Amino acid sequence: MNKRPVDWESNDTFNPAATIKNGRIVVLYRAEDKAGKAIGMRTSRLGYAESEDGIHFKRRKEPVLFPAEDSQKANEWPGGCEDPRVAVTEDGLYVVVYTQWNKDKARLGVATSRDLLKWEKYGPVFREAYGGKFNNIWTKSGSILTKLVGDKQVIAKINGKYWLYFGEANVNVATSTDLINWEPVVDSKGELVNLISPRKGYFDSNLTECGPPAILTDKGIVLLYNGKNDKGEDGDKRFTPNSYCAGQVLFDKNDPTKVLARLDTPFFRPMEPFEKSGQYVAGTVFIEGMVYYRKKWLLYYGCADSRVGVAVYDPAVKAPGDPLP
């Protein structure tokens, strides 16, 4: 955009999406340059890293999704492209929902690709719905509903529609028939329906922000989300003020708006030094990417807004206290 080379990932790398391509794990991570003095005030671009084991990665030298002289310049410059979540259809179309940030308003945008390298941008996901009513509100963190077909995690439909959980302050939901244009679920007054919201005295007392693509199971829809602890009296005293921990909520498999259960304590929280040092010293394990790979679940997350980490769940390894088969 400035007509000169830029050290696009020189400041921090964090908040990754993850998916599978040709039997390998691909992570699309957010990278910030040194254009500004604080998080959100620099320019973000999405980088590409690939791995055979999910742990050791090779990065491309150039970003794959970034602000450019294109139809989305007004939405993405100078803030950039942030915090992606990616999912794939059964026929191999990758769909990324990400934050378009022009340093004025954050909007959820959508782009598609067949190879994760060349992307077609479509712009804000709510630009058409209800005459554009929700196009100019602050929207972030879009989690498309998926399911396992064999060993492959693919985008799913319920009641003939695609579903997108989204939201930063609360968790809301939208539907689509084409994966490009999304229509939020609203109440009788035309306002967004909050499916879950912050709770006083809990780890998610300040924010409930969607994590990786939700997963349809035989027991319901599992949505992993990021909960921010309030720094004041409403916060959970067991956890650091302003820290981000990870929670889970279960929705009805036939009604994606109906909450069945929700964890009262986080299943994942910042404990390691690299999760509590960097841009965000209060501590962050910001979950955004999860893949099913070689019979294991690999969860990719941002560490203190400065690094990318991974946590592995192996269903074959029983935790202490688990019942015997």
Side-chain angles (χ1 to χ4, degrees):
M1 299 296 288
N2 294 320
K3 311 303 180 186
R4 58 177 173 78
V6 60
D7 294 327
W8 61 278
E9 56 179 355
S10 56
N11 206 77
D12 295 280
T13 56
F14 57 116
N15 292 10
T19 190
I20 306 294
K21 184 179 82 170
N22 299 329
R24 297 187 176 194
I25 293 177
V26 173
V27 165
L28 302 176
Y29 59 94
R30 174 181 170 184
E32 284 188 336
D33 59 22
K34 293 183 179 296
K37 294 183 179 180
I39 185 171
M41 293 297 106
R42 306 181 183 98
T43 302
S44 292
R45 300 166 179 86
L46 301 187
Y48 177 108
E50 191 172 283
S51 173
E52 291 185 359
D53 62 6
I55 306 298
H56 306 90
F57 282 84
K58 292 183 178 180
R59 286 188 272 184
R60 292 178 62 88
K61 292 183 179 180
E62 300 84 18
V64 293
L65 191 63
F66 47 87
E69 295 287 353
D70 57 26
S71 64
Q72 298 308 307
K73 178 181 177 180
N75 295 320
E76 297 178 354
W77 184 252
C81 305
E82 302 180 351
D83 297 359
R85 280 86 166 162
V86 66
V88 63
T89 62
E90 289 195 60
D91 70 351
L93 179 69
Y94 294 95
V95 182
V96 66
V97 180
Y98 65 103
T99 300
Q100 299 181 298
W101 174 230
N102 58 11
K103 295 190 179 181
D104 174 51
K105 189 151 293 181
R107 293 180 178 87
L108 278 177
V110 63
T112 62
S113 175
R114 288 286 176 181
D115 61 5
L116 297 171
L117 300 174
K118 297 178 182 178
W119 291 90
E120 183 172 358
K121 297 178 183 177
Y122 292 92
V125 298
F126 301 137
R127 65 189 180 281
E128 301 290 343
Y130 307 106
K133 175 180 179 178
F134 297 105
N135 189 49
N136 288 316
I137 68 170
W138 188 283
T139 53
K140 297 182 72 175
S141 305
S143 167
I144 294 176
L145 178 64
T146 64
K147 64 180 179 180
L148 280 182
V149 178
D151 287 342
K152 187 177 181 181
Q153 184 182 1
V154 297
I155 294 174
K157 279 185 176 181
I158 293 179
N159 301 327
K161 296 179 180 180
Y162 301 110
W163 294 79
L164 174 76
Y165 293 101
F166 70 96
E168 181 182 34
N170 310 284
V171 170
N172 310 106
V173 71
T175 63
S176 175
T177 57
D178 61 6
L179 293 170
I180 303 301
N181 298 288
W182 294 86
E183 184 174 286
V185 173
V186 298
D187 61 19
S188 59
K189 297 180 180 179
E191 301 301 323
L192 293 176
V193 174
N194 295 331
L195 305 183
I196 67 168
S197 299
R199 300 173 291 182
K200 292 182 179 181
Y202 290 89
F203 71 96
D204 53 9
S205 48
N206 184 270
L207 290 175
T208 54
E209 188 170 354
C210 296
I215 302 170
L216 176 62
T217 75
D218 59 352
K219 295 182 179 180
I221 298 166
V222 180
L223 175 69
L224 279 59
Y225 70 93
N226 299 287
K228 183 181 180 182
N229 194 26
D230 195 85
K231 65 180 180 180
E233 290 302 313
D234 289 344
D236 190 326
K237 306 308 178 185
R238 295 172 296 176
F239 306 110
T240 305
N242 288 327
S243 63
Y244 280 83
C245 302
Q248 297 183 23
V249 59
L250 184 70
F251 295 95
D252 190 283
K253 64 181 179 181
N254 298 310
D255 180 359
T257 69
K258 182 180 179 180
V259 176
L260 300 180
R262 182 177 175 184
L263 292 182
D264 287 338
T265 56
F267 75 96
F268 191 42
R269 61 188 178 92
M271 299 177 69
E272 300 296 332
F274 58 83
E275 296 165 347
K276 297 183 287 185
S277 62
Q279 288 197 92
Y280 201 87
V281 296
T284 304
V285 288
F286 199 84
I287 57 174
E288 283 192 27
M290 189 166 69
V291 295
Y292 188 66
Y293 188 66
R294 298 177 181 174
K295 308 296 183 181
K296 300 177 183 179
W297 289 99
L298 286 80
L299 178 63
Y300 293 91
Y301 64 101
C303 309
D305 286 353
S306 297
R307 299 174 178 84
V308 171
V310 63
V312 181
Y313 169 63
D314 185 349
V317 177
K318 290 197 170 293
D322 278 357
L324 295 173

